[in-house]
């Protein structure tokens, strides 16, 4: 039986894992390589790493970080942040990423998804979507959530699937950072309308939030702070889910 | 003692970094040396070959031909020499792939590669899933039975003979996740991404006499 994936996410600047909202109050949590290595051996099913300050000068160090991590872990590794062109995707895959996540660039230039899927295969193209309620609609935001777009969430999700995305990483900006649980309503809207895997992101604070996330039909559950802070160990989350009858890799 | 040679084929189908790393770690202090195959090669010089693959069946077949790897690989397989195909590297052992167009495979293990036909399934089949060992074999000793491995694929081996199936996995239905004929093996999952169990399987393949 296919297992629900538990995915720790590292927000990274150069080679350091950081915590901070919209580049404010940034706190260094540790070395990206050390934390990646720890999560790989602690039972993570996949690892996600995002370059949250993808400036040109700092990109080289970030790519080196990807290389160093790929050398020490042996679980799937998704990398994103600042991907704007086909070459960026190729560079990250060559550095050892298994999947590359595209966000703002996909909205600006949807054909990038198709080109990337044709060149590297759908299985390694993840489209990250930041969703937020806007009036009666759920809309797609870009640039780290700072810019509203005209795209409606569900139609954009279907669109990325038709363009060849292999997976959707859906972050609800309404629940992100609040630790009150995943955005079940938003997640269900998307999982009902696509048949590629959806990773839920944004809002985990308690154990039962993982269970509620699983109920949305998301097949991957992503979290950052609850793992980095040491509040929950990955095995604890998995044992909890298993006790609720959710298939996990123990 | 002369070291045996393990070939890792770079078919330009996904990156071979993680499998290379896994193999390098495993053959340290063992009687093997690793050679990456990027073009024409002498099949007699190699004792074992691993072919990892991602993406499309047609692309991999096309690349192998273009890179002049196809003919020596066919010869190598005809001699029943040890081979481990991963993901698409397994699928090309079949007679044909049905992905957009029908493309001929290597016809080593009879069967056809077809898309999961259940419309209700989330495709690709992505994540960790259990492999049930259906036949004993040195590359999957007992401790690998009912363990989880990492899968990411949309196509499966169909019309395959029971005798060629070593492992089964359930997704919508049971499908072959490990196939075998003589010294030739194929795995649908990615052992190089499957943590300890995956590394064990690769090790078993390398150590198998």
């Amino acid at each position: 039986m296919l297992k629900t994936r538990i995915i720790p996410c590292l927000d990274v600047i150069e080679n350091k894992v950081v915590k901070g909202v919209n580049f404010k109050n940034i706190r260094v949590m540790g070395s990206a390589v050390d934390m990646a290595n720890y999560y790989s051996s602690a039972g993570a099913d996949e690892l996600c790493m995002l370059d949250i300050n993808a400036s040109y000068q700092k990109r080289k160090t970030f790519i080196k970080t990807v290389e160093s991590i790929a050398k020490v872990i042996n679980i799937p590794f998704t990398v994103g942040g600042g991907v704007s062109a086909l070459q960026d995707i190729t560079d990250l895959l060559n550095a050892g990423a298994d999947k590359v996540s595209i966000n703002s660039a996909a909205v600006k230039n949807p054909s990038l998804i198709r080109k990337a899927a044709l060149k590297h295969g759908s299985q390694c193209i993840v489209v990250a979507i930041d969703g937020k309620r806007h009036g009666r609609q759920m809309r797609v935001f870009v640039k780290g959530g700072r810019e509203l777009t005209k795209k409606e969430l569900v139609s954009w999700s279907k669109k990325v699937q038709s363009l060849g995305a292999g997976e959707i990483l859906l972050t609800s900006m309404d629940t992100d950072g609040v630790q009150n649980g995943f955005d079940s309503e938003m997640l269900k809207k998307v999982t009902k309308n696509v048949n590629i895997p959806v990773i839920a992101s944004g809002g985990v604070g308690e154990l039962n939030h993982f269970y509620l996330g699983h109920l949305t039909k998301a097949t991957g559950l992503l979290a950052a702070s609850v793992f980095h802070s040491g509040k929950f160990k990955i095995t604890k989350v998995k044992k909890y889910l298993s006790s609720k009858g959710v298939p996990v890799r123990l | 003692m002369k070291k045996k040679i393990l070939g890792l084929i770079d078919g330009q189908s996904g990156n071979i970094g993680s499998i290379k790393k896994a193999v390098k770690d495993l053959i340290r202090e063992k009687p093997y040396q690793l050679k990456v195959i990027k073009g024409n090669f002498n099949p007699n010089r190699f004792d074992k070959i691993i072919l990892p693959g991602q993406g499309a069946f047609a692309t991999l077949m096309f690349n192998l031909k273009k890179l002049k790897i196809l003919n020596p690989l066919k010869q190598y397989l005809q001699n029943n020499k040890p081979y481990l195909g991963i993901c698409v590297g397994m699928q090309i052992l079949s007679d044909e792939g049905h992905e957009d167009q029908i493309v001929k495979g290597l016809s080593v293990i009879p069967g056809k590669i077809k898309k999961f036909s259940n419309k209700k399934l989330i495709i690709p089949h992505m994540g960790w899933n259990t492999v049930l060992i259906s036949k004993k074999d040195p590359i999957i000793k007992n401790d690998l039975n009912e363990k989880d491995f990492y899968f990411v694929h949309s196509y499966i081996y169909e019309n395959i003979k029971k005798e060629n199936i070593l492992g089964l996995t359930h997704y919508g239905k049971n499908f072959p996740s490990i196939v075998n004929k003589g010294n030739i093996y194929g795995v649908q999952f990615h052992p190089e991404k499957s943590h300890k169990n995956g590394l064990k399987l690769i090790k078993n393949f390398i150590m198998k006499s």
Side-chain angles (χ1 to χ4, degrees):
Chain A
M1 197 174 207
L2 184 65
K3 310 298 186 295
T4 291
R5 289 170 286 159
I6 303 299
I7 309 168
C9 182
L10 309 176
D11 288 330
V12 166
I13 296 180
E14 295 186 79
N15 52 13
K16 297 271 188 295
V17 176
V18 296
K19 185 180 159 47
V21 181
N22 294 332
F23 307 108
K24 283 174 200 151
N25 306 318
I26 284 179
R27 237 174 356 120
V28 173
M29 310 284 287
S31 134
V33 178
D34 290 349
M35 287 174 79
N37 200 7
Y38 165 74
Y39 286 127
S40 169
S41 49
D45 296 310
E46 247 180 78
L47 187 72
C48 179
M49 179 164 87
L50 304 172
D51 183 359
I52 64 158
N53 186 17
S55 65
Y56 180 73
Q57 303 92 316
K58 292 179 175 173
R59 193 64 173 178
K60 275 188 185 158
T61 322
F62 179 75
I63 299 248
K64 283 222 170 86
T65 308
V66 174
E67 280 172 3
S68 314
I69 291 177
K71 279 195 187 118
V72 295
I73 65 169
N74 33 42
I75 54 171
F77 184 27
T78 300
V79 179
V83 172
S84 60
L86 203 52
Q87 189 58 44
D88 297 329
I89 298 170
T90 309
D91 289 348
L92 289 171
L93 291 172
N94 285 340
D98 298 299
K99 303 187 231 180
V100 172
S101 132
I102 326 170
N103 191 335
S104 309
V107 175
K108 199 173 156 193
N109 174 20
S111 69
L112 178 63
I113 303 172
R114 172 155 297 174
K115 282 180 193 155
L118 277 175
K119 182 163 184 209
H120 299 289
S122 288
Q123 82 289 336
C124 62
I125 305 302
V126 182
V127 174
I129 304 178
D130 293 339
K132 191 177 190 319
R133 286 165 186 78
H134 183 78
R136 284 181 166 182
Q137 276 189 324
M138 289 191 185
R139 295 269 281 271
V140 176
F141 279 66
V142 292
K143 297 196 175 156
R146 280 165 300 188
E147 197 178 299
L148 168 71
T149 71
K150 288 180 180 158
K151 301 214 183 296
E152 190 277 322
L153 179 66
V154 171
S155 58
W156 176 237
S157 303
K158 287 179 170 170
K159 176 84 178 170
V160 305
Q161 168 176 294
S162 70
L163 288 169
E167 191 170 33
I168 290 173
L169 167 56
L170 178 61
T171 304
S172 166
M173 291 170 52
D174 293 319
T175 62
D176 195 29
V178 188
Q179 305 217 332
N180 275 336
F182 288 115
D183 193 332
S184 295
E185 187 195 0
M186 185 182 286
L187 284 160
K188 280 180 190 161
K189 268 198 163 186
V190 173
T191 57
K192 255 185 213 160
N193 285 286
V194 297
N195 69 346
I196 52 177
V198 174
I199 298 174
S201 156
V204 168
E206 300 302 330
L207 276 180
N208 78 320
H209 295 160
F210 285 98
Y211 180 65
L212 295 172
H214 158 77
L215 294 182
T216 68
K217 300 247 160 68
T219 56
L221 305 172
L222 179 140
S225 346
V226 289
F227 292 136
H228 303 338
S229 69
K231 185 171 181 184
F232 300 129
K233 286 218 159 95
I234 291 171
T235 44
K236 187 174 182 177
V237 173
K238 288 188 167 183
K239 279 181 185 154
Y240 169 80
L241 286 173
S242 175
S243 75
K244 302 279 273 180
V246 180
V248 287
R249 177 179 70 108
L250 286 168
Chain B
M1 197 179 84
K2 203 173 161 251
K3 284 200 169 192
K4 290 183 174 180
I5 299 178
L6 176 90
L8 179 63
I9 295 181
D10 184 358
Q12 294 178 1
S13 154
N15 80 66
I16 63 163
S18 35
I19 182 83
K20 198 168 158 187
K21 168 185 76 103
V23 171
K24 269 189 180 167
D25 289 347
L26 290 169
I27 62 175
R28 212 173 277 157
E29 297 164 29
K30 301 283 180 344
Y32 274 97
Q33 61 166 310
L34 176 69
K35 275 203 160 86
V36 175
I37 298 172
K38 291 182 168 176
N40 194 11
F41 67 98
N42 178 354
N44 301 322
R45 282 193 58 213
F46 287 83
D47 301 284
K48 287 201 173 159
I49 284 182
I50 297 178
L51 171 48
Q54 269 193 345
F57 188 106
T59 313
L60 180 57
M61 287 303 291
F62 178 82
N63 287 349
L64 292 178
K65 202 170 181 182
K66 186 185 74 183
L67 299 166
K68 300 194 162 55
I69 295 173
L70 190 61
N71 284 331
L73 177 63
K74 276 184 178 165
Q75 211 182 319
Y76 178 90
L77 293 168
Q78 268 162 16
N79 296 334
N80 185 30
K81 291 182 77 172
Y83 170 91
L84 176 66
I86 297 171
C87 197
V88 190
M90 159 191 121
Q91 296 182 349
I92 58 166
L93 293 171
S94 68
D95 298 312
E96 51 191 40
H98 291 231
E99 196 171 334
D100 301 325
Q101 45 176 332
I102 295 179
V103 175
K104 279 216 175 315
L106 300 169
S107 288
V108 174
I109 299 176
K112 291 173 181 175
I113 305 302
K114 290 183 179 168
K115 196 162 188 170
F116 277 109
S117 53
N118 187 338
K119 294 273 182 284
K120 284 183 195 154
L121 288 177
I122 294 173
I123 300 292
H125 171 223
M126 187 189 283
W128 298 77
N129 205 336
T130 315
V131 174
L132 280 168
I133 303 303
S134 41
K135 210 158 81 183
K136 274 194 183 168
D137 189 276
I139 80 152
I140 34 166
K141 295 172 189 157
N142 284 338
D143 57 341
L144 285 182
N145 191 19
E146 288 192 49
K147 297 289 188 219
D148 290 329
F149 293 88
Y150 186 81
F151 289 82
V152 49
H153 63 119
S154 308
Y155 292 81
I156 50 174
Y157 228 113
E158 298 269 25
N159 311 92
I160 183 170
K161 286 184 199 148
K162 205 176 166 193
E163 65 195 63
N164 294 134
I165 301 175
L166 283 189
L168 286 168
T169 295
H170 190 84
Y171 192 60
K173 63 174 184 179
N174 282 332
F175 70 86
S177 45
I178 309 179
V179 302
N180 161 249
K181 190 180 175 188
N183 291 317
I184 296 160
Y185 294 90
V187 291
Q188 180 56 70
F189 48 84
H190 288 270
E192 76 281 15
K193 290 283 143 199
S194 299
H195 211 240
K196 284 179 190 159
N197 295 328
L199 297 181
K200 252 187 208 170
L201 185 141
I202 299 172
K203 187 179 172 188
N204 290 346
F205 170 74
I206 296 174
M207 292 303 134
K208 187 179 169 272
S209 49

